[in-house]
Amino acid sequence: IILMAALLLQACSSVKYVPEDEHLLRKTTIKVDNPQVSKSNLRTQLRQTPNHRFMGLISLELGLYNLSGQDTLKWVNRILRKVGEAPVIYDQSQSYRSLRAMEQSLFNQGYFNAEVSLKEDFMPERKVKTRYDVKAGDLYKVKSYEFNSQGSSLDSLLQASMKQSLIKKGKAFSSEELNNERSRLVSVARNQGYYAINRDHLGYLVDSTVGNHQVDIDLQLKPYTRIVTDEVRYEEHHVYSIGDVYFLLDVPTSAFS
């Protein structure tokens, strides 16, 4: 009957298990001034979200939890709490963590000057709504992407592979794309015998001061490092070659008896 009268009006009170000096996180919204920015992506940065609401109207899981009694020794109370969902107690520190995570996510997507502000609306009956206002700012795009070869064989290999680069002039700056490019270059190098190279050997210098909301990106190849008797030595990356080859045969021991 209409979901048991909305679980007895959500067990009489949605704040039944909210402490007197705390607030139930009732709703969280994100407002963005740029339609090109994905709200769904920003939502993944939230460190705290309200209780799930069925069809956006009723918190069924919270209602089930609130139907439970205080005595957790009774099996019915344990079952209701297990299938239900405890109230989300508002934590302001988590909101500011969410705010910073959103700004970092926008920065990684090329919105270097993005700003996110938090608005809290404390309501009667110990509830609160939060809203994040996002000012994305201008999107920075790639003006140039270069690798200055120092003449080594690995430098030449990386220079030759720049034609297949994932980073293209005119594309939006993306930290994820830079990481994918590093992985691609490591794969190129390892396939040619540079077995010891890894992503940490490749870095970028990004200059966002060139104007017109553009960036110059320079690829940096760091030397191979090794420690010899407590001394750090910097060397060129070298090619590994195949030494001895061993074949391990899975032959039953009975074959040799």
Side-chain angles (χ1 to χ4, degrees), residues 24-166:
L24 173 72
L25 181 56
R26 174 68 174 74
K27 185 178 181 180
T28 294
T29 56
I30 300 174
K31 183 180 179 181
V32 185
D33 67 348
N34 186 340
Q36 300 301 316
V37 175
S38 169
K39 284 188 181 181
S40 59
N41 178 270
L42 292 176
R43 282 198 167 274
T44 64
Q45 307 303 318
L46 291 173
R47 299 300 189 259
Q48 188 178 50
T49 56
N51 292 96
H52 174 72
R53 304 184 75 81
F54 178 69
M55 298 182 67
L57 299 174
I58 305 169
S59 298
L60 293 180
E61 291 90 345
L62 176 59
L64 286 169
Y65 189 95
N66 286 340
L67 282 173
S68 69
Q70 297 281 0
D71 188 356
T72 56
L73 295 178
K74 294 183 177 180
W75 69 268
V76 65
N77 292 333
R78 294 199 303 272
I79 292 296
L80 287 170
R81 293 193 175 198
K82 185 175 182 179
V83 300
E85 181 183 25
V88 176
I89 308 300
Y90 180 62
D91 184 343
Q92 188 182 66
S93 66
Q94 296 287 13
S95 291
Y96 280 103
R97 284 187 62 202
S98 301
L99 182 153
R100 290 189 292 270
M102 287 185 194
E103 289 182 336
Q104 184 62 56
S105 176
L106 289 164
F107 184 94
N108 292 340
Q109 297 173 58
Y111 296 97
F112 292 165
N113 301 313
E115 296 180 355
V116 182
S117 58
L118 171 67
K119 181 179 179 180
E120 301 166 312
D121 180 14
F122 290 94
M123 308 161 60
E125 297 182 0
R126 306 197 306 280
K127 299 178 184 178
V128 61
K129 294 181 180 179
T130 58
R131 188 182 78 192
Y132 297 88
D133 292 319
V134 179
K135 295 181 179 179
D138 294 299
L139 176 64
Y140 281 69
K141 297 184 178 181
V142 177
K143 181 182 180 182
S144 67
Y145 173 48
E146 298 178 351
F147 173 60
N148 296 319
S149 174
Q150 301 300 314
S152 72
S153 57
L154 177 55
D155 284 11
S156 300
L157 176 64
L158 296 180
Q159 185 69 60
S161 75
M162 293 293 279
K163 295 179 180 179
Q164 290 77 45
S165 172
L166 302 175

Side-chain angles (χ1 to χ4, degrees), residues 157-207:
L157 176 64
L158 296 180
Q159 185 69 60
S161 75
M162 293 293 279
K163 295 179 180 179
Q164 290 77 45
S165 172
L166 302 175
I167 304 171
K168 304 293 185 182
K169 180 179 178 180
K171 289 182 66 175
F173 173 89
S174 168
S175 293
E176 181 180 4
E177 201 82 312
L178 295 186
N179 286 329
N180 291 338
E181 173 72 353
R182 288 200 303 173
S183 296
R184 184 189 73 84
L185 292 170
V186 167
S187 179
V188 167
R190 286 182 174 176
N191 286 338
Q192 295 300 317
Y194 292 94
Y195 181 75
I197 193 171
N198 59 57
R199 285 159 47 99
D200 292 336
H201 290 119
L202 297 167
Y204 299 100
L205 287 178
V206 180
D207 184 2

